[in-house]
Amino acid sequence: MRIRTLLITFVTLLHSAVAISGAWGVGPFENDDALDFALQLQEYDSYQAIWLPFGEIIRSDSYIDATIGAQAIAAAGVVAALRGKPRPTLPEDLAKWVESKNWSGDVKLVGTAEMCLKKVLDPARSELAQLWQDSDQYEAWRAAGEELLKDLR
């Protein structure tokens, strides 16, 4: 009986991993890097961990790596959610995490999220923007980024 339970658990986990892997969409939580960041963020008790990808962008004046860009977009999506403007693709478990935080209206965090998001959306500064620019979904991705910028204002 125990082996059967373990086997069922394993198959369920494997199925979930296959369903989640390879995510790639235009929304802030529709790619693997963003989902990884969302999972990592939930390990923290404080919303202050949102600063992690923003710090990478702030510390570097150089070209923004696609992974950091995707994480920064997700972090901006979390900031928008903290402000009461969650994106439709906000994962349910992350929405619960956001609700559990004591959001103080951190103006500096909101401004930093906006500044970093603008940099990530700029193909001259961001690998992620260039990758999207080379796809047929660039306009939709850009529009999703602009919507997120509005939610931060």
Side-chain angles (χ1 to χ4, degrees), residues 70-82:
Q71 291 175 350
I73 291 173
V78 173
V79 173
L82 284 165

Side-chain angles (χ1 to χ4, degrees), residues 88-153:
T89 58
L90 181 70
E92 186 178 326
D93 51 345
L94 187 55
K96 290 177 185 175
W97 181 88
V98 166
E99 289 173 12
S100 74
K101 299 303 149 222
N102 186 17
W103 172 244
S104 61
D106 189 335
V107 176
K108 185 176 179 182
L109 179 59
V110 174
T112 301
E114 185 177 348
M115 184 233 0
C116 289
L117 182 55
K118 286 178 182 177
K119 288 181 179 182
V120 173
L121 294 175
D122 180 0
R125 301 189 74 180
S126 165
E127 179 185 24
L128 186 62
Q130 277 194 345
L131 290 170
W132 278 106
Q133 199 172 37
D134 293 340
S135 80
D136 60 350
Q137 292 281 306
Y138 177 69
E139 294 303 322
W141 177 80
R142 180 74 192 192
E146 293 296 330
E147 275 296 309
L148 185 51
L149 274 173
K150 288 179 189 174
D151 288 345
L152 292 171
R153 293 184 181 130

Side-chain angles (χ1 to χ4, degrees), residues 22-57:
W24 198 254
V26 299
F29 303 102
E30 294 179 341
N31 64 75
D32 290 339
D33 293 324
L35 292 173
D36 289 346
F37 172 73
L39 284 173
Q40 177 187 8
L41 188 60
Q42 293 172 64
E43 294 176 11
Y44 292 89
D45 292 329
S46 168
Y47 71 85
Q48 295 295 326
I50 298 167
W51 282 97
L52 295 171
F54 298 152
E56 291 287 329
I57 292 172

